[in-house]
């Protein structure tokens, strides 16, 4: 637990005090966010606000992971720690960094061209596809000494669903889909000051709790404390490196809290696609690593709702020529309906919190049912 707290504290402090540096650097580089003229007119006043702020909380999370991992060598948890980063950490942080790199390329092109056209949609999807495939293979084909892999060959809800065995190739395909869906979901949620940041904090916080709970009830490599014949030992969690999962999720959540200090309305800096794609990639990776792939639809419910608003809008317009919403994604519909930006953000945070709480409730209730 102390290692998780160390990682979270370091991430928060680096992000809180490092983001102003990012603001000065990107402002000096004239990396201002281009604003689409077809969007809500209230956004025109945000033109020139520095973007690519996701770099700040990505770096904060990486340094925090190193600090937390170092702390494991002197804390009681050391018996389940490795001296080098685990494959779980490499997959999760790799998704975080490389999905962020795709977003950075998009942001860079927008700034360079001085318009909202960055990477093409195909270019972004191709980048996500390649990244998802590479790390999906790493998650499935590189087991630990006890045979445990980061991802499973079965589709999971709260645990692996035994009859949903899709094999390694199928599992890599599911992995890619989850990463692409979640990264684009967070990206679509971005657009209002602090909206995606606050929602991500709630989801990452939920995954930190899930990871730590799984660590406390972990089957592990014959390290589980308790009577091997007890119901507790029989129903422990078959995941790889749960403490690493909790530490990374907590660090990312805390880094986002520090970033939110500067990103809340009126935002001094935007996370950009750099931050949105990175957060989505990490959240998707956490869902797979914790064996909660289908549960992530509930935990990240706000991202799902906003993504579906775009899908519904496109389908409706292409089939009937009519729009269901005044504008999509959904947050812009409410802007055009007269809601203030702060009201939309806070109310959407409430929805995100409710979704995360329901997801955690289902996760914990399943454990109680199994133990009962």
């Amino acid at each position: 637990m102390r290692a998780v707290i160390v990682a979270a504290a370091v991430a928060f402090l680096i992000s809180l005090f490092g983001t102003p540096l990012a603001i000065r650097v990107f402002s000096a580089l004239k990396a201002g966010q281009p604003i689409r003229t077809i969007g809500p007119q209230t956004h025109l006043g945000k033109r020139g606000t520095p973007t690519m702020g996701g770099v700040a909380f990505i770096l904060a999370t990486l340094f925090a992971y190193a600090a937390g991992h170092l702390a494991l060598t002197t804390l009681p948890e050391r018996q389940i720690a490795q001296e080098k980063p685990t494959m779980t950490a490499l997959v999760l942080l790799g998704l975080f960094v490389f999905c962020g790199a795709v977003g950075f390329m998009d942001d860079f092109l927008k700034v360079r061209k001085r318009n909202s056209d960055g990477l093409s949609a195909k270019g972004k999807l191709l980048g996500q596809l390649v990244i998802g495939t590479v790390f999906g293979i790493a998650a499935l084909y590189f087991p630990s000494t006890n045979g445990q892999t980061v991802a499973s060959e079965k589709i999971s809800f709260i645990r692996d669903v035994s009859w949903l065995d899709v094999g390694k190739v199928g599992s890599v395909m599911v992995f890619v889909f989850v990463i692409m869906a979640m990264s684009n979901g967070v990206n679509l949620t971005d657009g209002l000051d602090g909206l995606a940041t606050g929602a991500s904090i709630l989801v990452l916080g939920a995954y930190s709790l899930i990871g730590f709970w799984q660590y406390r009830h972990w089957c592990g490599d014959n390290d589980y404390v308790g009577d091997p014949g007890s119901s507790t030992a029989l129903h422990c969690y078959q995941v790889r490196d749960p403490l690493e999962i909790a530490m990374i999720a907590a660090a990312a959540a805390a880094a986002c809290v520090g970033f939110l200090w500067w990103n809340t309305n009126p935002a001094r800096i935007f996370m950009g696609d750099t931050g949105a794609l990175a957060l989505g990639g990490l959240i998707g990776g956490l869902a797979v690593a914790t064996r909660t792939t289908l549960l992530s639809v509930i935990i990240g419910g706000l991202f799902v709702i906003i993504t579906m608003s775009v899908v519904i809008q496109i389908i409706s317009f292409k089939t009937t020529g009519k729009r269901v919403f005044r504008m999509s994604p959904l947050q812009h519909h409410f802007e055009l309906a007269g809601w203030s930006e702060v009201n939309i953000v806070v109310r959407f945070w409430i929805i995100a919190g409710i979704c995360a709480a329901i997801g955690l409730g289902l996760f914990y209730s399943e454990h109680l049912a199994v133990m009962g």
Side-chain angles (χ1 to χ4, degrees), residues 43 46 181-203 263 271-273 275-277 279-280 283 300-310 328-332 335 341 344-345 347-349 351-352:
H43 288 204
K46 301 180 180 184
M182 197 61 75
S183 59
N184 285 302
V186 177
N187 197 26
L188 290 171
T189 304
D190 195 20
L192 299 184
D193 295 354
L195 176 57
T197 309
S200 296
I201 290 169
L202 294 165
V203 174
N263 180 236
M271 71 166 67
D273 281 16
L277 295 184
L279 287 171
I283 291 170
L302 179 65
F303 303 140
V304 176
I305 291 169
I306 289 177
T307 300
M308 290 307 300
S309 74
V310 175
S328 65
L330 187 61
Q331 60 269 31
H332 299 317
E335 277 192 287
E341 183 170 351
I344 296 169
V345 170
R347 287 167 180 170
F348 276 39
W349 282 351
I351 294 172

Side-chain angles (χ1 to χ4, degrees), residues 3-310:
V4 176
I5 294 174
V6 167
V10 170
F12 171 73
L13 292 173
I14 292 177
S15 183
L16 180 65
F17 294 108
T19 301
L21 176 61
I23 294 172
R24 289 195 292 271
V25 169
F26 289 126
S27 295
L29 294 173
K30 300 187 184 301
Q33 175 70 49
I35 304 297
R36 297 172 60 190
T37 56
I38 62 173
Q41 296 303 298
T42 54
H43 288 204
L44 296 178
K46 301 180 180 184
R47 182 180 284 114
T49 303
T51 186
M52 306 184 196
V55 171
F57 58 72
I58 291 173
L59 291 177
T61 302
L62 295 177
F63 282 114
Y65 169 75
H69 202 270
L70 181 63
L72 286 175
T73 62
T74 59
L75 296 178
E77 293 94 332
R78 62 183 299 176
Q79 66 266 24
I80 56 85
Q82 297 181 15
E83 293 183 3
K84 297 180 180 179
T86 62
M87 180 57 69
T88 302
L90 292 176
V91 169
L92 294 179
L93 295 177
L95 288 168
F96 198 36
V97 171
F98 284 98
C99 285
V102 173
F104 185 87
M105 290 175 61
D106 185 49
D107 289 332
F108 176 79
L109 291 175
K110 289 176 182 176
V111 170
R112 185 177 181 182
K113 296 176 181 178
R114 301 297 177 189
N115 60 44
S116 58
D117 296 326
L119 277 177
S120 65
K122 289 183 179 179
K124 273 199 260 190
L125 291 175
L126 179 60
Q128 293 168 336
L129 176 63
V130 172
I131 292 167
T133 301
V134 170
F135 286 102
I137 291 172
L140 264 298
Y141 288 86
F142 292 89
S144 61
T145 54
N146 68 340
Q148 198 80 49
T149 54
V150 178
S152 171
E153 294 182 30
K154 300 179 178 65
I155 295 176
S156 58
F157 179 53
I158 295 174
R159 300 174 187 265
D160 286 340
V161 181
S162 59
W163 53 273
L164 289 178
D165 192 328
V166 294
K168 285 189 175 181
V169 174
S171 185
V172 171
M173 294 173 65
V174 171
F175 186 96
V176 171
F177 174 79
V178 171
I179 300 306
M180 294 179 70
M182 197 61 75
S183 59
N184 285 302
V186 177
N187 197 26
L188 290 171
T189 304
D190 195 20
L192 299 184
D193 295 354
L195 176 57
T197 309
S200 296
I201 290 169
L202 294 165
V203 174
L204 290 167
Y207 271 113
S208 178
L209 293 174
I210 287 173
F212 189 74
W213 183 263
Q214 290 179 331
Y215 160 64
R216 299 300 297 175
H217 303 83
W218 184 43
C219 299
D221 188 7
N222 299 319
D223 292 326
Y224 190 83
V225 179
D227 178 7
S230 69
S231 61
T232 304
L234 290 174
H235 297 291
C236 53
Y237 292 94
Q238 294 282 355
V239 297
R240 181 171 176 176
D241 311 312
L243 186 59
E244 295 270 277
I245 293 172
M247 193 160 53
I248 291 170
C256 285
V257 172
F259 180 76
L260 184 61
W261 182 273
W262 306 100
N263 180 236
T264 193
N265 187 271
R268 295 276 306 280
I269 188 171
F270 300 138
M271 71 166 67
D273 281 16
T274 304
L277 295 184
L279 287 171
L282 175 60
I283 291 170
L286 289 168
V288 174
T290 55
R291 307 296 196 267
T292 57
T293 302
L294 296 178
L295 186 65
S296 68
V297 175
I298 299 174
I299 295 175
L302 179 65
F303 303 140
V304 176
I305 291 169
I306 289 177
T307 300
M308 290 307 300
S309 74
V310 175

